[in-house]
Amino acid sequence: MTQAARGERVHIGVFGRRNAGKSSLVNALTGQRAALVSEVAGTTTDPVYQPMELHGAGAVVFIDTAGFDETGELGGLRVGRTREASARAEIALVLFEDEDVNASDGAEENAYFWVRRLQASGVPVFPIVSKSDLRDGGTAMAEKIKKRLGLPAFCVSAATGEGVEALREALVRRIAQGEERSLLAGLVGPGEVVLLVMPQDAEAPKGRLIQPQVQTIRALLDDSCVPIGCTPETMDAALAALRNPPALIITDSQVFSAVAEKTPKESKLTSFSVLFAAYKGDISYFRDSAAKVRNLPSDARILIAEACTHNALDADIGRVKIPAMLRKKLGDGLRIENVGGADFPADLSWYDLVVHCGACMFNRRYVLSRVEAARAAGVPMTNYGILIAKLSGILDKVAFPIGRTRRL
Ligand SMILES: Nc1nc2c(ncn2[C@@H]2O[C@H](COP(=O)(O)OP(=O)(O)OP(=O)(O)O)[C@@H](O)[C@H]2O)c(=O)[nH]1
Ligand SMILES: [Mg+2]
């Protein structure tokens, strides 16, 4: 299995007007025919996620989108989907066409608008002059773009393959420039023993470990640490088998208190969701927000958001455990709403608190775009692991990873 989880792949969004050649470009870059292409404007209606291994850059996902010039009621919804997909893009390819085509309907200005929008949210943009086999090879348009944006444009033809390799190489270079750091940043060093306390109860999937656990074990192995695994039931036996207390204990939010009680004073303690909160989100905003929970009114409106719609374990934490803990703390008058997947309200100002899952299915940029939305609306936002640690009174016992995550 060489498949990387989707949330771990660099997301490359492809944006442009209808018929600009977005799907054809994705096909040319991936060497596949997966995206539907036709001369009918509006062929792609919903964002399509196309995973591939980009040689030299590892696993990526291309996001093929609907044209940003869709109109009408349905078109408006499609542009909304494209906008939503743009919040996940970590690199953006924005398509311009030949000058004559662009000038006719304001598409060129629209493309500049999208470039500015993406750049404003910190996304590196590659301007592309598509269909370079037509007319002058795209050079006049490329010069214009260079003048206006100060960025070199890539002239590419999906039809002849011209420029595709140069674009692919530029993408690989850009991705390689990005920093990557371990999930465990600053928490443990090479050679240190880390005990993973992983409940395998009825809620755990049959015959396998859940994604955050697998990813943590892999990160520990990559960092030359020594991961050792047990369940809460065998934790005593695991500790007894070790000559020295482990440098770090990582456990599941659900059994945090019980594990905290058994944690030797020499060992640091954290949870899988705290690791992912730091890796995927804004850990200090999450921590500050968790501290505000005790001041919420007894009729507070609370949004609990999950990344996936199919993880039974997360569903149980989000729908049963956290609401019960919050009600115990703040009273039965709380108004709690659960949402899953891409279903996240645009207007968060109605809420007093947002609680997000560990988001192993989402990439960092997308989680941060949700944090930004909460911050802009002045609404505290935290995540499952941090909230549970706070409500169990053990947040100050939790070790937090430090340092930067992947940035492109
Ligand atoms: N000559 C030429 N035609 C191209 C090229 N790329 C795409 N086309 C044609 O342009 C038309 C639209 O291509 P698509 O890839 O479907 O464009 P799109 O941007 O995905 O379009 P929507 O999904 O409708 O928004 C098709 O007829 C393609 O064959 C190219 O590099 N050169
Ligand atoms: Mg398309």
Side-chain angles (χ1 to χ4, degrees), residues 23 36 44 64-65:
S23 301
L36 208 60
T44 311
D64 183 16
T65 62

Side-chain angles (χ1 to χ4, degrees), residues 81-306:
R81 293 284 189 96
T82 298
R83 228 180 271 129
E84 207 251 346
S86 77
R88 299 178 195 242
E90 295 165 287
I91 293 180
L93 310 184
V94 176
L95 271 60
F96 293 76
E97 283 169 275
D98 190 271
E99 206 162 13
D100 300 346
V101 184
N102 282 306
S104 59
D105 56 2
E108 186 182 341
E109 282 312 309
N110 208 354
Y112 285 123
F113 171 79
W114 274 71
V115 170
R116 277 201 306 278
R117 237 188 114 254
L118 287 155
Q119 285 177 330
S121 45
V123 181
V125 174
F126 285 60
I128 310 286
V129 183
S130 60
K131 306 187 186 180
S132 67
D133 54 293
L134 303 174
R135 303 196 186 83
D136 72 342
T139 47
M141 192 63 207
E143 260 168 48
K144 205 168 159 195
I145 293 170
K146 176 95 208 278
K147 256 194 214 131
R148 180 107 176 234
L149 295 175
L151 287 174
F154 292 79
C155 300
V156 178
S157 165
T160 66
E162 185 195 355
V164 172
E165 203 43 46
L167 174 60
R168 198 199 319 255
E169 281 166 15
L171 283 171
V172 168
R173 275 198 303 279
R174 192 65 190 79
I175 292 167
Q177 267 174 27
E179 301 169 36
E180 196 148 0
R181 66 139 203 182
S182 157
L183 199 56
L184 285 311
L187 276 178
V188 272
E192 290 191 307
V193 173
V194 179
L195 183 65
L196 300 141
V197 185
M198 304 169 284
Q200 303 299 325
D201 49 24
E203 285 157 355
K206 277 224 168 353
R208 62 177 181 87
L209 295 175
I210 57 173
Q211 174 70 22
Q213 295 169 350
V214 173
Q215 224 173 306
T216 305
I217 293 171
R218 174 60 195 265
L220 286 165
L221 294 171
D222 284 347
D223 288 357
S224 307
C225 297
V226 184
I228 294 180
C230 66
T231 63
E233 295 75 32
T234 56
M235 184 177 169
D236 289 327
L239 287 171
L242 294 172
R243 194 178 307 149
N244 299 308
L248 174 69
I249 295 177
I250 308 173
T251 191
D252 204 276
S253 310
Q254 295 193 74
V255 291
F256 213 104
S257 312
V259 172
E261 269 171 35
K262 292 185 181 178
T263 296
K265 61 179 185 319
E266 299 86 351
S267 307
K268 290 188 249 185
L269 173 66
T270 194
S271 74
F272 293 101
S273 28
V274 166
L275 292 182
F276 277 85
Y279 189 60
K280 288 282 170 75
D282 184 333
I283 190 82
S284 45
Y285 196 69
F286 288 171
R287 202 170 9 177
D288 295 349
S289 297
K292 290 183 181 156
V293 169
R294 63 168 181 272
N295 301 326
L296 291 180
S298 58
D299 63 346
R301 204 164 156 207
I302 299 176
L303 180 73
I304 300 184
E306 249 147 56

Side-chain angles (χ1 to χ4, degrees), residues 18-24 37-39 42-44 131 133 157-159:
R18 278 172 297 172
N19 248 341
K22 302 177 294 297
S23 301
S24 303
V37 167
S38 90
E39 70 280 4
T43 302
T44 311
K131 306 187 186 180
D133 54 293
S157 165

